[in-house]
Amino acid sequence: MKDTFKHQGMRQQLVDTLIKKGIKDKGVLKAIGKIPRHLFMDSGFIDHAYQDKAFPIAADQTISQPYTVAFQSELLQVQPGDKVLEIGTGSGYQTAVLLELGAKVFSIERQQELFKKTSKFLPKLGYRAKSLIFGDGYKGLPVEAPFKSIIVTAGAPFVPNPLLSQLAIGGRLVIPVGDDVQVMTLFIRKGPKEFEKHEFGDFRFVPMLEDKN
């Protein structure tokens, strides 16, 4: 669990890359500059940890490309104390970014292997989500709703209605929608039945799977 000056330097280069690619949110950039991403990956990938690329992790999943993590995080516009629901805990890297931004994070993971691993790992780094849950992300987390923002870190073939209904008024849902290639989509809840939709180009994610528990 080492984080060296070399790693910190590599992180700063990664932050510079993200700035060049258009990421502006200072909180997001600071979080990415601080979080030891190499610890979220198998040690064999250590040299790749600070490249702007996605990489495989356990259970046939991936740790998202840093640019994608930054892009989604920026769209959420997280303020300290915001209640945020994350669908797809994965390695916990995105979770850590949300925690660095001051969010109260509830995160759902449907792969048991990943859930167990990440539940043990995040607290070791000092990252404590409000709750890490093993379950079906399509259902959201009604007992804790409403959420100021909801982030989905897997490609969804459609937008699950429970997630829209669990957003607070003024809340933001960031979700990649599509089958092979996903369109990054932002929904802003304007009223009980009114949503504003914005689309932000193509991304590639592992698929979001339903009813697998």
Side-chain angles (χ1 to χ4, degrees), residues 174-195:
V174 174
I175 179 168
V177 185
D179 290 315
D180 297 328
V181 177
Q182 292 84 33
V183 175
M184 191 66 75
T185 310
L186 165 67
F187 291 91
I188 303 171
R189 188 167 198 173
K190 294 295 191 181
K193 290 193 159 58
E194 193 189 342
F195 293 87

Side-chain angles (χ1 to χ4, degrees), residues 40 57 62 86-96 105-110 114-115 118-119 122 129 131-134 153:
F40 290 78
I57 52 170
T62 57
E86 177 187 33
I87 307 298
T89 317
S91 67
Y93 181 70
Q94 174 73 69
T95 319
V105 182
F106 297 79
S107 188
I108 302 175
E109 175 54 57
R110 54 152 295 278
L114 270 180
F115 169 74
T118 303
S119 299
L122 275 177
S131 189
L132 296 176
I133 299 126
F134 174 59
T153 63

Side-chain angles (χ1 to χ4, degrees), residues 54 62 64-65 67-68 71-72 75 138 152-160 174-186 197-209:
T62 57
S64 289
Q65 180 183 350
Y67 174 73
T68 304
F71 192 86
Q72 284 194 285
L75 282 181
Y138 275 85
V152 178
T153 63
F158 59 91
V159 181
V174 174
I175 179 168
V177 185
D179 290 315
D180 297 328
V181 177
Q182 292 84 33
V183 175
M184 191 66 75
T185 310
L186 165 67
K197 180 180 174 185
H198 302 265
E199 293 183 341
F200 296 91
D202 294 347
F203 287 78
R204 283 181 186 273
F205 284 79
V206 292
M208 179 175 173
L209 301 171

Side-chain angles (χ1 to χ4, degrees), residues 36-106:
R37 188 172 185 256
H38 62 283
L39 300 180
F40 290 78
M41 300 162 75
D42 294 332
S43 56
F45 288 132
I46 214 96
D47 291 342
H48 302 288
Y50 297 109
Q51 292 176 18
D52 190 22
K53 289 181 183 163
F55 273 96
I57 52 170
D60 295 328
Q61 302 299 298
T62 57
I63 180 170
S64 289
Q65 180 183 350
Y67 174 73
T68 304
V69 171
F71 192 86
Q72 284 194 285
S73 302
E74 190 167 74
L75 282 181
L76 287 179
Q77 296 185 359
V78 175
Q79 299 298 317
D82 281 359
K83 200 171 181 182
V84 178
L85 176 62
E86 177 187 33
I87 307 298
T89 317
S91 67
Y93 181 70
Q94 174 73 69
T95 319
V97 170
L98 295 169
L99 289 167
E100 284 287 353
L101 292 170
K104 293 174 179 166
V105 182
F106 297 79

Side-chain angles (χ1 to χ4, degrees), residues 13 16-17 69 71 94 105 136 139 162-164 166 168-169:
Q13 287 175 332
D16 293 343
T17 299
V69 171
F71 192 86
Q94 174 73 69
V105 182
D136 181 355
K139 296 177 180 143
L163 300 186
L164 289 169
Q166 288 169 36
I169 305 292

